[in-house]
Amino acid sequence: MNVPLPQATALPFLQNEALGITLRILSTLAFALMGVCVKALGDTVPLGQVVFFRSAIALLPLAAYLWWRGDWPGGLRTSRPFGHIGRCLMGAAAMFTSFATIRLLPLAEATMLSYLAPVMLAVLAWVLLKERLTARRIAGVALGLAGAAAFCLPAFAGGLPDTGGLGVFLGIVTAMLTAGALIQVRRLTLLGEGAGAIAFWFAIVSALCGLATLPWGWTWPGTAGTMLLISTGFAGGLAHILMTLSFRHADASALAPFEYLSVLWAVALGFVFFAEVPGLAFLLAGPLVLLGAIVARSPRAR
């Protein structure tokens, strides 16, 4: 769901692959730290409240970046408002289920399940966009599905608590919603919509979806909880900008392998902050899911 922001020609950058890779690594770390903040909040704050702060706070660095790039406010215009609504609602739903997954599963497992999205994207692109399903993509889908099955086996065998089984289910749902949102992003891009508009309106709609849960009861989490909420939004917004800047300095093919550092960050941060140690399901399913995600990605994306 992370779409690089537009790159205006008014501020050209010299290509510097080492700097681009560094920025991409920092962006994966920022995304992982966002997950730490969500998990640290636990059940003390309603999911809708977390989604609101994640989206609303992220608007600040996003708007500042677009202004710096010269795309504020002109880059926010859209001629496809209904297309944006569909993409935003799927993305917002994915944010809800993603944060629920982080609450229910160890951070590493929750992060790994998100890599089922490229696998499902390959299938949806074949069905909805009539993209060719090559032998490479079929292999990627098969590997990803095998990994998903490996994640599910402990739940089916009663090896996970009820919350663990629900977490795996919500993680798979998150990957499906993310793939659907990315399909709509592709459609909007092909129709000429700018990445700035796509990112900005997604944040707006997600914040409104989170705000809509206010009547069901929000809480005052205290100073520490409030700082975690703010940090969630700031880390997410900063991660998006760092990712975008990385593409200014290096080719996508050079940056693609470093995307998967998110899993290593999740393992390390989960151990440091929550004393989480990856279980057997992670060790079995992880390589299958990651390999499936790598293989299923289109050559252009790699």
Side-chain angles (χ1 to χ4, degrees):
M1 291 195 313
N2 299 311
V3 184
L5 304 179
Q7 302 172 4
T9 56
L11 294 171
F13 283 79
L14 294 175
Q15 193 164 56
N16 183 335
E17 188 171 284
L19 177 58
I21 289 172
T22 300
L23 292 170
R24 189 68 182 99
I25 291 172
L26 290 174
S27 74
T28 62
L29 176 58
F31 277 122
L33 288 171
M34 181 190 72
V36 168
C37 292
V38 172
K39 193 167 188 66
L41 285 165
D43 296 329
T44 60
V45 179
L47 275 177
Q49 188 174 354
V50 180
V51 169
F52 171 78
F53 273 86
R54 158 64 179 91
S55 304
I57 298 298
L59 279 170
L60 300 177
L62 175 58
Y65 179 82
L66 290 173
W67 175 80
W68 180 62
R69 297 300 310 161
D71 271 300
W72 182 274
L76 305 183
R77 294 194 197 92
T78 176
S79 59
R80 308 279 178 175
F82 293 106
H84 281 278
I85 290 173
R87 175 269 187 273
C88 291
L89 290 178
M90 279 189 288
M95 193 180 296
F96 274 91
T97 57
S98 172
F99 289 173
T101 302
I102 290 173
R103 287 184 173 183
L104 296 170
L105 291 178
L107 196 59
E109 274 85 343
T111 301
M112 182 64 71
L113 282 168
S114 70
Y115 283 101
L116 287 172
V119 174
M120 297 178 180
L121 178 61
V123 176
L124 289 178
W126 172 58
V127 173
L128 299 177
L129 300 182
K130 308 304 180 186
E131 292 186 4
R132 194 162 61 94
L133 196 60
T134 62
R136 174 187 289 275
R137 287 189 174 180
I138 292 173
V141 170
L143 287 167
L145 292 178
F151 263 120
C152 293
L153 283 177
F156 292 148
L160 288 176
D162 292 339
T163 56
L166 178 60
V168 171
F169 171 75
L170 289 175
I172 294 173
V173 170
T174 299
M176 293 174 63
L177 289 169
T178 300
L182 288 173
I183 285 289
Q184 189 61 16
V185 167
R186 282 192 182 181
R187 284 176 167 168
L188 289 170
T189 303
L190 291 173
L191 292 171
E193 292 295 300
I198 293 172
F200 183 83
W201 294 118
F202 168 60
I204 289 288
V205 171
S206 296
L208 291 175
C209 288
L211 186 62
T213 67
L214 179 60
W216 283 270
W218 283 12
T219 62
W220 170 248
T223 303
T226 302
M227 292 304 297
L228 283 172
L229 285 172
I230 293 172
S231 298
T232 298
F234 183 75
L238 181 63
H240 204 146
I241 291 170
L242 288 171
M243 178 184 67
T244 300
L245 288 174
S246 71
F247 284 101
R248 293 287 295 172
H249 294 285
D251 294 333
S253 58
L255 298 175
F258 297 94
E259 175 183 343
Y260 303 99
L261 283 175
S262 294
V263 178
L264 296 182
W265 291 128
V267 171
L269 294 174
F271 178 77
V272 169
F273 288 101
F274 310 110
E276 295 174 345
V277 178
L280 179 60
F282 177 87
L283 298 176
L284 290 174
L288 292 171
V289 171
L290 280 183
L291 187 58
I294 293 169
V295 172
R297 290 168 66 96
S298 66
R300 207 169 28 175
R302 283 194 300 275

